[in-house]
């Protein structure tokens, strides 16, 4: 499995940090949110964090610009339909998350991995109403996701075991 195109749904603090994690790894990432102003704040947060890294000599000026160039933003699900991985990073509301995953599942190919960054809910519970629970997994990033390299991969009861081990 090759993951090249990533979408992060949720442009808050955690979603922004997760998006930064991917763009710093050289991957294209699209941040999705319902509010354009949230997307603007997200890019500003990423830029500030990258500039901090540049000031500390962790990144060069060129690497900063290259990372930012890999970040796109959208409010339209059609723009992320060809994603290989979609990471949900919205606020901790079970109903909102479950409805979001049902919506997301209908916009992607069966090979797309859907992941939740939840720290509150069981992955198996969030996957109950999905048509393809085998492609659903938890990926719990610890804040700040671009600085803290720790990520917890949590399979649900129906998650494809190969999927969890490849992430």
């Amino acid at each position: 499995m090759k993951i090249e195109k990533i979408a992060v749904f949720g442009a808050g603090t955690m979603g922004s940090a997760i998006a930064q994690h991917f763009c710093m790894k050289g991957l294209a990432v699209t941040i999705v949110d319902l509010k354009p102003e949230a997307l603007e704040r997200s890019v500003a947060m990423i830029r500030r964090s990258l500039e901090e890294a540049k000031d500390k000599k962790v990144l060069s000026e060129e690497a900063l610009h290259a990372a930012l160039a890999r970040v796109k933003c959208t409010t339209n699900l059609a723009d992320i339909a060809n994603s290989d991985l979609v990471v949900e990073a919205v606020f901790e509301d079970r109903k909102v998350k479950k409805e979001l995953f049902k919506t997301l599942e209908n916009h992607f190919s069966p090979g797309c991995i859907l992941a939740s960054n939840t720290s509150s809910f069981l992955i198996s519970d969030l996957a109950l109403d999905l048509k393809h629970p085998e492609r659903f997994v938890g990926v719990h990033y610890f804040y700040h996701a671009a600085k803290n390299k720790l990520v917890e991969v949590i399979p649900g009861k129906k998650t494809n075991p190969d999927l969890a081990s490849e992430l």
Side-chain angles (χ1 to χ4, degrees), residues 44-108:
M45 280 189 270
I46 293 169
R47 180 183 300 280
R48 275 192 307 275
S49 182
L50 290 172
E51 286 175 355
E52 252 180 51
K54 182 191 75 152
D55 293 345
K56 292 179 180 179
K57 310 260 189 268
V58 174
L59 283 180
S60 67
E61 183 81 26
E62 295 78 24
L64 180 151
H65 291 293
L68 279 175
R70 289 188 283 273
V71 177
K72 306 289 184 245
C73 295
T74 190
T75 57
N76 186 347
L77 284 180
D79 293 340
I80 61 167
N82 63 348
S83 297
D84 301 313
L85 170 66
V86 178
V87 178
E88 165 273 320
V90 301
F91 54 94
E92 293 294 294
D93 181 308
R94 182 189 321 264
K95 184 178 177 184
V96 168
K97 287 178 184 287
K98 287 183 86 154
E99 287 176 16
L100 175 62
F101 286 121
K102 282 172 57 176
T103 300
L104 289 174
E105 186 176 45
N106 291 321
H107 283 83
F108 300 100

Short mmCIF file of all heavy atoms in Angstrom, two decimals, residues 44-108:
data_model
loop_
_atom_site.label_atom_id
_atom_site.label_comp_id
_atom_site.label_asym_id
_atom_site.label_seq_id
_atom_site.Cartn_x
_atom_site.Cartn_y
_atom_site.Cartn_z
N ALA A 44 -2.08 29.50 8.75
CA ALA A 44 -1.28 30.44 9.55
C ALA A 44 -0.59 29.71 10.71
O ALA A 44 0.58 29.99 11.01
CB ALA A 44 -2.16 31.57 10.07
N MET A 45 -1.29 28.78 11.35
CA MET A 45 -0.68 27.99 12.44
C MET A 45 0.50 27.16 11.92
O MET A 45 1.55 27.09 12.56
CB MET A 45 -1.70 27.05 13.09
CG MET A 45 -2.62 27.71 14.08
SD MET A 45 -3.60 26.47 14.98
CE MET A 45 -5.03 26.35 13.94
N ILE A 46 0.29 26.54 10.77
CA ILE A 46 1.35 25.71 10.19
C ILE A 46 2.54 26.59 9.83
O ILE A 46 3.69 26.25 10.13
CB ILE A 46 0.83 24.93 8.96
CG1 ILE A 46 -0.20 23.89 9.41
CG2 ILE A 46 1.98 24.27 8.20
CD1 ILE A 46 -0.97 23.24 8.27
N ARG A 47 2.28 27.72 9.22
CA ARG A 47 3.36 28.63 8.83
C ARG A 47 4.16 29.07 10.06
O ARG A 47 5.39 29.03 10.05
CB ARG A 47 2.81 29.85 8.10
CG ARG A 47 3.90 30.85 7.68
CD ARG A 47 3.33 32.09 7.01
NE ARG A 47 2.59 31.79 5.81
CZ ARG A 47 3.12 31.54 4.61
NH1 ARG A 47 4.44 31.58 4.47
NH2 ARG A 47 2.37 31.30 3.57
N ARG A 48 3.45 29.45 11.13
CA ARG A 48 4.15 29.88 12.36
C ARG A 48 5.01 28.76 12.92
O ARG A 48 6.15 28.99 13.34
CB ARG A 48 3.14 30.35 13.42
CG ARG A 48 2.72 31.79 13.30
CD ARG A 48 1.96 32.29 14.52
NE ARG A 48 0.82 31.47 14.90
CZ ARG A 48 -0.41 31.58 14.38
NH1 ARG A 48 -0.67 32.46 13.45
NH2 ARG A 48 -1.38 30.81 14.79
N SER A 49 4.49 27.58 12.94
CA SER A 49 5.24 26.44 13.48
C SER A 49 6.46 26.14 12.62
O SER A 49 7.55 25.86 13.14
CB SER A 49 4.32 25.22 13.58
OG SER A 49 5.01 24.14 14.15
N LEU A 50 6.30 26.19 11.31
CA LEU A 50 7.43 25.96 10.41
C LEU A 50 8.48 27.06 10.55
O LEU A 50 9.69 26.79 10.50
CB LEU A 50 6.96 25.85 8.96
CG LEU A 50 6.14 24.60 8.61
CD1 LEU A 50 5.56 24.73 7.20
CD2 LEU A 50 6.96 23.34 8.75
N GLU A 51 8.03 28.29 10.73
CA GLU A 51 8.98 29.39 10.93
C GLU A 51 9.76 29.23 12.23
O GLU A 51 10.95 29.53 12.29
CB GLU A 51 8.25 30.74 10.87
CG GLU A 51 7.86 31.09 9.44
CD GLU A 51 7.01 32.35 9.32
OE1 GLU A 51 6.62 32.94 10.36
OE2 GLU A 51 6.73 32.74 8.17
N GLU A 52 9.08 28.72 13.26
CA GLU A 52 9.77 28.40 14.52
C GLU A 52 10.87 27.37 14.27
O GLU A 52 11.99 27.50 14.77
CB GLU A 52 8.77 27.77 15.51
CG GLU A 52 8.38 28.62 16.66
CD GLU A 52 7.40 27.87 17.56
OE1 GLU A 52 7.67 26.70 17.94
OE2 GLU A 52 6.37 28.46 17.88
N ALA A 53 10.53 26.34 13.50
CA ALA A 53 11.51 25.29 13.18
C ALA A 53 12.67 25.88 12.39
O ALA A 53 13.83 25.52 12.61
CB ALA A 53 10.83 24.17 12.39
N LYS A 54 12.38 26.80 11.49
CA LYS A 54 13.45 27.44 10.71
C LYS A 54 14.34 28.28 11.63
O LYS A 54 15.56 28.22 11.54
CB LYS A 54 12.85 28.34 9.61
CG LYS A 54 13.91 29.00 8.74
CD LYS A 54 13.32 30.07 7.86
CE LYS A 54 13.05 31.24 8.73
NZ LYS A 54 13.05 32.54 8.23
N ASP A 55 13.72 29.03 12.55
CA ASP A 55 14.48 29.85 13.49
C ASP A 55 15.39 29.01 14.38
O ASP A 55 16.46 29.45 14.78
CB ASP A 55 13.54 30.70 14.36
CG ASP A 55 12.81 31.77 13.55
OD1 ASP A 55 13.23 32.05 12.40
OD2 ASP A 55 11.81 32.30 14.07
N LYS A 56 14.96 27.77 14.67
CA LYS A 56 15.76 26.87 15.50
C LYS A 56 16.71 26.03 14.66
O LYS A 56 17.33 25.09 15.16
CB LYS A 56 14.82 25.95 16.29
CG LYS A 56 14.03 26.68 17.34
CD LYS A 56 13.11 25.73 18.08
CE LYS A 56 12.32 26.49 19.13
NZ LYS A 56 11.39 25.63 19.86
N LYS A 57 16.77 26.33 13.36
CA LYS A 57 17.67 25.65 12.42
C LYS A 57 17.30 24.17 12.20
O LYS A 57 18.14 23.37 11.82
CB LYS A 57 19.13 25.76 12.88
CG LYS A 57 19.55 27.18 13.20
CD LYS A 57 20.32 27.79 12.09
CE LYS A 57 20.94 29.11 12.47
NZ LYS A 57 20.14 30.27 12.17
N VAL A 58 16.04 23.84 12.45
CA VAL A 58 15.55 22.50 12.17
C VAL A 58 15.20 22.37 10.69
O VAL A 58 15.35 21.30 10.10
CB VAL A 58 14.31 22.17 13.04
CG1 VAL A 58 13.68 20.84 12.68
CG2 VAL A 58 14.68 22.22 14.52
N LEU A 59 14.74 23.48 10.10
CA LEU A 59 14.37 23.54 8.69
C LEU A 59 15.11 24.69 8.01
O LEU A 59 15.33 25.73 8.63
CB LEU A 59 12.88 23.85 8.52
CG LEU A 59 11.83 22.80 8.75
CD1 LEU A 59 10.45 23.39 8.52
CD2 LEU A 59 12.04 21.62 7.84
N SER A 60 15.39 24.52 6.75
CA SER A 60 15.94 25.63 5.96
C SER A 60 14.76 26.45 5.42
O SER A 60 13.60 25.99 5.44
CB SER A 60 16.76 25.09 4.79
OG SER A 60 15.91 24.43 3.87
N GLU A 61 15.05 27.61 4.91
CA GLU A 61 14.03 28.45 4.27
C GLU A 61 13.38 27.70 3.11
O GLU A 61 12.17 27.72 2.93
CB GLU A 61 14.67 29.75 3.78
CG GLU A 61 13.70 30.73 3.17
CD GLU A 61 12.94 31.55 4.19
OE1 GLU A 61 13.46 31.75 5.31
OE2 GLU A 61 11.82 31.98 3.87
N GLU A 62 14.20 27.00 2.33
CA GLU A 62 13.70 26.24 1.18
C GLU A 62 12.76 25.11 1.63
O GLU A 62 11.72 24.88 1.02
CB GLU A 62 14.86 25.65 0.36
CG GLU A 62 15.75 26.68 -0.28
CD GLU A 62 16.76 27.33 0.68
OE1 GLU A 62 17.11 26.73 1.73
OE2 GLU A 62 17.17 28.48 0.40
N ALA A 63 13.15 24.41 2.70
CA ALA A 63 12.32 23.32 3.21
C ALA A 63 10.99 23.85 3.74
O ALA A 63 9.95 23.21 3.57
CB ALA A 63 13.06 22.55 4.30
N LEU A 64 11.02 25.01 4.38
CA LEU A 64 9.79 25.64 4.88
C LEU A 64 8.84 25.90 3.71
O LEU A 64 7.66 25.52 3.76
CB LEU A 64 10.13 26.95 5.59
CG LEU A 64 8.97 27.74 6.18
CD1 LEU A 64 9.44 28.52 7.39
CD2 LEU A 64 8.34 28.68 5.18
N HIS A 65 9.34 26.52 2.64
CA HIS A 65 8.49 26.84 1.49
C HIS A 65 8.01 25.58 0.78
O HIS A 65 6.87 25.52 0.33
CB HIS A 65 9.22 27.78 0.53
CG HIS A 65 9.41 29.14 1.11
ND1 HIS A 65 8.37 30.01 1.37
CD2 HIS A 65 10.53 29.79 1.51
CE1 HIS A 65 8.83 31.13 1.89
NE2 HIS A 65 10.15 31.01 2.00
N ALA A 66 8.87 24.58 0.71
CA ALA A 66 8.48 23.32 0.07
C ALA A 66 7.37 22.64 0.87
O ALA A 66 6.41 22.12 0.29
CB ALA A 66 9.69 22.39 -0.05
N ALA A 67 7.48 22.65 2.20
CA ALA A 67 6.45 22.04 3.05
C ALA A 67 5.12 22.78 2.87
O ALA A 67 4.07 22.15 2.69
CB ALA A 67 6.88 22.05 4.51
N LEU A 68 5.17 24.10 2.91
CA LEU A 68 3.93 24.89 2.73
C LEU A 68 3.31 24.66 1.36
O LEU A 68 2.07 24.64 1.23
CB LEU A 68 4.21 26.38 2.93
CG LEU A 68 4.28 26.85 4.37
CD1 LEU A 68 4.68 28.32 4.43
CD2 LEU A 68 2.96 26.62 5.10
N ALA A 69 4.13 24.46 0.35
CA ALA A 69 3.61 24.24 -1.01
C ALA A 69 2.86 22.91 -1.11
O ALA A 69 2.04 22.73 -2.02
CB ALA A 69 4.76 24.27 -2.01
N ARG A 70 3.12 21.99 -0.21
CA ARG A 70 2.44 20.69 -0.22
C ARG A 70 1.08 20.74 0.49
O ARG A 70 0.35 19.76 0.49
CB ARG A 70 3.33 19.62 0.41
CG ARG A 70 4.52 19.25 -0.46
CD ARG A 70 5.27 18.06 0.08
NE ARG A 70 6.12 18.39 1.22
CZ ARG A 70 7.37 18.83 1.14
NH1 ARG A 70 7.94 19.00 -0.03
NH2 ARG A 70 8.05 19.10 2.24
N VAL A 71 0.73 21.89 1.10
CA VAL A 71 -0.53 22.03 1.83
C VAL A 71 -1.55 22.74 0.95
O VAL A 71 -1.30 23.83 0.44
CB VAL A 71 -0.33 22.83 3.13
CG1 VAL A 71 -1.66 23.03 3.85
CG2 VAL A 71 0.68 22.14 4.05
N LYS A 72 -2.68 22.10 0.79
CA LYS A 72 -3.83 22.70 0.09
C LYS A 72 -4.99 22.75 1.07
O LYS A 72 -5.02 22.01 2.06
CB LYS A 72 -4.22 21.86 -1.13
CG LYS A 72 -3.10 21.59 -2.10
CD LYS A 72 -2.70 22.83 -2.85
CE LYS A 72 -1.63 22.53 -3.88
NZ LYS A 72 -0.37 23.16 -3.65
N CYS A 73 -5.97 23.58 0.77
CA CYS A 73 -7.16 23.70 1.62
C CYS A 73 -8.41 23.67 0.76
O CYS A 73 -8.39 24.12 -0.38
CB CYS A 73 -7.12 25.01 2.39
SG CYS A 73 -5.79 25.15 3.57
N THR A 74 -9.48 23.14 1.33
CA THR A 74 -10.75 23.10 0.61
C THR A 74 -11.93 22.99 1.58
O THR A 74 -11.77 22.52 2.70
CB THR A 74 -10.79 21.94 -0.41
OG1 THR A 74 -11.95 22.09 -1.24
CG2 THR A 74 -10.82 20.59 0.29
N THR A 75 -13.08 23.39 1.08
CA THR A 75 -14.34 23.16 1.79
C THR A 75 -15.18 22.14 1.03
O THR A 75 -16.28 21.81 1.44
CB THR A 75 -15.15 24.47 1.93
OG1 THR A 75 -15.38 25.01 0.63
CG2 THR A 75 -14.42 25.49 2.79
N ASN A 76 -14.64 21.63 -0.07
CA ASN A 76 -15.38 20.76 -0.98
C ASN A 76 -14.84 19.33 -0.94
O ASN A 76 -13.69 19.09 -1.30
CB ASN A 76 -15.27 21.33 -2.40
CG ASN A 76 -16.11 20.59 -3.40
OD1 ASN A 76 -16.62 19.51 -3.14
ND2 ASN A 76 -16.25 21.19 -4.57
N LEU A 77 -15.68 18.38 -0.54
CA LEU A 77 -15.26 16.98 -0.47
C LEU A 77 -14.81 16.43 -1.82
O LEU A 77 -13.94 15.54 -1.87
CB LEU A 77 -16.38 16.11 0.08
CG LEU A 77 -16.64 16.19 1.57
CD1 LEU A 77 -17.79 15.27 1.96
CD2 LEU A 77 -15.40 15.83 2.36
N ALA A 78 -15.35 16.94 -2.90
CA ALA A 78 -14.95 16.45 -4.23
C ALA A 78 -13.46 16.68 -4.47
O ALA A 78 -12.83 15.92 -5.22
CB ALA A 78 -15.78 17.14 -5.31
N ASP A 79 -12.89 17.68 -3.83
CA ASP A 79 -11.46 17.98 -4.02
C ASP A 79 -10.53 16.94 -3.40
O ASP A 79 -9.35 16.93 -3.69
CB ASP A 79 -11.12 19.36 -3.42
CG ASP A 79 -11.78 20.49 -4.16
OD1 ASP A 79 -12.19 20.30 -5.32
OD2 ASP A 79 -11.90 21.59 -3.57
N ILE A 80 -11.07 16.09 -2.53
CA ILE A 80 -10.23 15.09 -1.87
C ILE A 80 -10.65 13.66 -2.22
O ILE A 80 -10.23 12.71 -1.58
CB ILE A 80 -10.19 15.30 -0.34
CG1 ILE A 80 -11.58 15.18 0.28
CG2 ILE A 80 -9.52 16.62 0.01
CD1 ILE A 80 -11.59 15.07 1.79
N ALA A 81 -11.46 13.52 -3.25
CA ALA A 81 -12.01 12.21 -3.61
C ALA A 81 -10.94 11.18 -3.98
O ALA A 81 -11.16 9.98 -3.83
CB ALA A 81 -13.00 12.35 -4.74
N ASN A 82 -9.77 11.62 -4.41
CA ASN A 82 -8.73 10.67 -4.80
C ASN A 82 -7.69 10.46 -3.70
O ASN A 82 -6.60 9.97 -3.96
CB ASN A 82 -8.05 11.13 -6.10
CG ASN A 82 -7.33 12.46 -5.92
OD1 ASN A 82 -7.51 13.15 -4.92
ND2 ASN A 82 -6.52 12.83 -6.90
N SER A 83 -8.04 10.77 -2.47
CA SER A 83 -7.12 10.60 -1.34
C SER A 83 -6.87 9.12 -1.05
O SER A 83 -7.75 8.28 -1.22
CB SER A 83 -7.67 11.27 -0.09
OG SER A 83 -7.78 12.66 -0.28
N ASP A 84 -5.67 8.84 -0.57
CA ASP A 84 -5.32 7.49 -0.12
C ASP A 84 -5.63 7.30 1.36
O ASP A 84 -5.87 6.19 1.81
CB ASP A 84 -3.82 7.24 -0.34
CG ASP A 84 -3.41 7.40 -1.79
OD1 ASP A 84 -4.11 6.85 -2.67
OD2 ASP A 84 -2.39 8.07 -2.04
N LEU A 85 -5.57 8.40 2.09
CA LEU A 85 -5.80 8.39 3.54
C LEU A 85 -6.54 9.66 3.92
O LEU A 85 -6.13 10.75 3.52
CB LEU A 85 -4.47 8.32 4.29
CG LEU A 85 -4.49 8.54 5.80
CD1 LEU A 85 -5.23 7.40 6.51
CD2 LEU A 85 -3.06 8.66 6.35
N VAL A 86 -7.61 9.51 4.69
CA VAL A 86 -8.34 10.67 5.24
C VAL A 86 -8.32 10.53 6.76
O VAL A 86 -8.78 9.53 7.31
CB VAL A 86 -9.80 10.73 4.75
CG1 VAL A 86 -10.52 11.92 5.38
CG2 VAL A 86 -9.85 10.83 3.23
N VAL A 87 -7.74 11.52 7.42
CA VAL A 87 -7.66 11.53 8.88
C VAL A 87 -8.66 12.55 9.41
O VAL A 87 -8.60 13.73 9.07
CB VAL A 87 -6.24 11.91 9.37
CG1 VAL A 87 -6.20 11.95 10.90
CG2 VAL A 87 -5.21 10.94 8.82
N GLU A 88 -9.57 12.08 10.23
CA GLU A 88 -10.56 12.97 10.86
C GLU A 88 -9.97 13.55 12.13
O GLU A 88 -9.41 12.81 12.95
CB GLU A 88 -11.84 12.16 11.15
CG GLU A 88 -12.80 12.81 12.10
CD GLU A 88 -12.50 12.52 13.57
OE1 GLU A 88 -12.15 11.39 13.90
OE2 GLU A 88 -12.62 13.46 14.38
N ALA A 89 -10.09 14.86 12.28
CA ALA A 89 -9.59 15.54 13.47
C ALA A 89 -10.58 16.63 13.90
O ALA A 89 -10.21 17.79 14.07
CB ALA A 89 -8.21 16.14 13.21
N VAL A 90 -11.84 16.25 14.02
CA VAL A 90 -12.85 17.21 14.47
C VAL A 90 -13.04 17.05 15.97
O VAL A 90 -12.51 16.13 16.59
CB VAL A 90 -14.19 17.05 13.71
CG1 VAL A 90 -13.98 17.24 12.21
CG2 VAL A 90 -14.86 15.71 13.98
N PHE A 91 -13.84 17.92 16.56
CA PHE A 91 -14.06 17.89 18.01
C PHE A 91 -14.72 16.58 18.43
O PHE A 91 -15.32 15.88 17.64
CB PHE A 91 -14.88 19.10 18.46
CG PHE A 91 -16.18 19.26 17.72
CD1 PHE A 91 -17.35 18.73 18.22
CD2 PHE A 91 -16.22 19.95 16.51
CE1 PHE A 91 -18.55 18.87 17.54
CE2 PHE A 91 -17.40 20.10 15.81
CZ PHE A 91 -18.57 19.55 16.32
N GLU A 92 -14.56 16.26 19.71
CA GLU A 92 -14.97 14.96 20.24
C GLU A 92 -16.48 14.91 20.48
O GLU A 92 -16.96 15.07 21.61
CB GLU A 92 -14.21 14.65 21.53
CG GLU A 92 -12.71 14.42 21.32
CD GLU A 92 -12.41 13.18 20.52
OE1 GLU A 92 -12.67 12.07 20.98
OE2 GLU A 92 -11.91 13.34 19.39
N ASP A 93 -17.22 14.64 19.42
CA ASP A 93 -18.67 14.46 19.48
C ASP A 93 -18.98 13.21 18.66
O ASP A 93 -18.81 13.21 17.43
CB ASP A 93 -19.37 15.69 18.91
CG ASP A 93 -20.88 15.58 18.95
OD1 ASP A 93 -21.43 14.57 18.45
OD2 ASP A 93 -21.52 16.52 19.45
N ARG A 94 -19.40 12.16 19.33
CA ARG A 94 -19.63 10.86 18.69
C ARG A 94 -20.57 10.96 17.49
O ARG A 94 -20.29 10.43 16.41
CB ARG A 94 -20.19 9.85 19.70
CG ARG A 94 -20.41 8.47 19.12
CD ARG A 94 -21.17 7.54 20.08
NE ARG A 94 -20.78 7.69 21.46
CZ ARG A 94 -19.88 6.91 22.08
NH1 ARG A 94 -19.30 5.94 21.44
NH2 ARG A 94 -19.59 7.12 23.34
N LYS A 95 -21.69 11.65 17.66
CA LYS A 95 -22.67 11.76 16.58
C LYS A 95 -22.07 12.47 15.36
O LYS A 95 -22.24 12.02 14.23
CB LYS A 95 -23.91 12.50 17.07
CG LYS A 95 -25.01 12.58 16.06
CD LYS A 95 -26.23 13.28 16.62
CE LYS A 95 -27.30 13.40 15.53
NZ LYS A 95 -28.45 14.15 15.98
N VAL A 96 -21.37 13.55 15.59
CA VAL A 96 -20.74 14.30 14.50
C VAL A 96 -19.73 13.42 13.76
O VAL A 96 -19.71 13.36 12.54
CB VAL A 96 -20.07 15.59 15.02
CG1 VAL A 96 -19.17 16.22 13.98
CG2 VAL A 96 -21.12 16.58 15.51
N LYS A 97 -18.90 12.71 14.52
CA LYS A 97 -17.88 11.85 13.91
C LYS A 97 -18.53 10.73 13.09
O LYS A 97 -18.12 10.47 11.96
CB LYS A 97 -16.97 11.26 14.98
CG LYS A 97 -15.99 12.27 15.57
CD LYS A 97 -15.14 11.62 16.66
CE LYS A 97 -14.23 12.60 17.34
NZ LYS A 97 -13.09 13.02 16.53
N LYS A 98 -19.54 10.06 13.65
CA LYS A 98 -20.18 8.95 12.94
C LYS A 98 -20.84 9.43 11.65
O LYS A 98 -20.73 8.77 10.61
CB LYS A 98 -21.18 8.25 13.86
CG LYS A 98 -20.50 7.41 14.94
CD LYS A 98 -21.48 6.66 15.79
CE LYS A 98 -21.78 5.38 15.08
NZ LYS A 98 -22.21 4.27 15.89
N GLU A 99 -21.51 10.57 11.71
CA GLU A 99 -22.14 11.11 10.50
C GLU A 99 -21.09 11.51 9.47
O GLU A 99 -21.26 11.28 8.28
CB GLU A 99 -23.03 12.31 10.86
CG GLU A 99 -24.30 11.90 11.57
CD GLU A 99 -25.15 13.09 12.01
OE1 GLU A 99 -24.92 14.22 11.53
OE2 GLU A 99 -26.04 12.87 12.85
N LEU A 100 -20.00 12.08 9.94
CA LEU A 100 -18.92 12.48 9.04
C LEU A 100 -18.34 11.25 8.32
O LEU A 100 -18.15 11.27 7.10
CB LEU A 100 -17.82 13.21 9.80
CG LEU A 100 -16.57 13.57 8.99
CD1 LEU A 100 -16.91 14.52 7.85
CD2 LEU A 100 -15.51 14.16 9.90
N PHE A 101 -18.09 10.17 9.05
CA PHE A 101 -17.51 8.98 8.42
C PHE A 101 -18.47 8.35 7.41
O PHE A 101 -18.03 7.88 6.36
CB PHE A 101 -17.06 7.96 9.47
CG PHE A 101 -15.82 8.38 10.17
CD1 PHE A 101 -15.79 8.55 11.53
CD2 PHE A 101 -14.66 8.64 9.45
CE1 PHE A 101 -14.65 8.97 12.18
CE2 PHE A 101 -13.51 9.06 10.08
CZ PHE A 101 -13.50 9.22 11.45
N LYS A 102 -19.75 8.36 7.70
CA LYS A 102 -20.72 7.82 6.72
C LYS A 102 -20.69 8.67 5.45
O LYS A 102 -20.73 8.15 4.35
CB LYS A 102 -22.12 7.78 7.33
CG LYS A 102 -22.31 6.60 8.26
CD LYS A 102 -23.60 6.61 9.03
CE LYS A 102 -24.83 6.67 8.19
NZ LYS A 102 -26.06 6.60 8.99
N THR A 103 -20.58 9.99 5.61
CA THR A 103 -20.50 10.88 4.45
C THR A 103 -19.20 10.66 3.70
O THR A 103 -19.19 10.53 2.47
CB THR A 103 -20.60 12.36 4.91
OG1 THR A 103 -21.85 12.55 5.56
CG2 THR A 103 -20.47 13.31 3.74
N LEU A 104 -18.09 10.63 4.42
CA LEU A 104 -16.78 10.46 3.79
C LEU A 104 -16.70 9.15 3.02
O LEU A 104 -16.17 9.10 1.91
CB LEU A 104 -15.67 10.52 4.83
CG LEU A 104 -15.39 11.87 5.47
CD1 LEU A 104 -14.36 11.73 6.58
CD2 LEU A 104 -14.92 12.88 4.44
N GLU A 105 -17.22 8.10 3.61
CA GLU A 105 -17.13 6.78 2.99
C GLU A 105 -17.75 6.77 1.60
O GLU A 105 -17.27 6.07 0.70
CB GLU A 105 -17.81 5.74 3.88
CG GLU A 105 -17.64 4.34 3.38
CD GLU A 105 -18.23 3.30 4.30
OE1 GLU A 105 -19.37 3.50 4.78
OE2 GLU A 105 -17.55 2.29 4.54
N ASN A 106 -18.76 7.57 1.38
CA ASN A 106 -19.43 7.61 0.08
C ASN A 106 -18.70 8.44 -0.96
O ASN A 106 -19.10 8.47 -2.11
CB ASN A 106 -20.86 8.14 0.25
CG ASN A 106 -21.72 7.16 1.00
OD1 ASN A 106 -21.63 5.96 0.81
ND2 ASN A 106 -22.57 7.68 1.88
N HIS A 107 -17.64 9.12 -0.58
CA HIS A 107 -16.92 9.99 -1.50
C HIS A 107 -15.57 9.42 -1.96
O HIS A 107 -14.88 10.05 -2.74
CB HIS A 107 -16.67 11.36 -0.86
CG HIS A 107 -17.89 12.22 -0.87
ND1 HIS A 107 -18.87 12.12 0.08
CD2 HIS A 107 -18.28 13.19 -1.73
CE1 HIS A 107 -19.81 13.00 -0.19
NE2 HIS A 107 -19.48 13.65 -1.28
N PHE A 108 -15.20 8.25 -1.46
CA PHE A 108 -13.87 7.73 -1.75
C PHE A 108 -13.93 6.33 -2.32
O PHE A 108 -14.88 5.60 -2.13
CB PHE A 108 -13.01 7.73 -0.48
CG PHE A 108 -12.85 9.11 0.07
CD1 PHE A 108 -13.61 9.54 1.13
CD2 PHE A 108 -11.96 9.99 -0.51
CE1 PHE A 108 -13.48 10.82 1.62
CE2 PHE A 108 -11.83 11.28 -0.04
CZ PHE A 108 -12.59 11.70 1.03
#
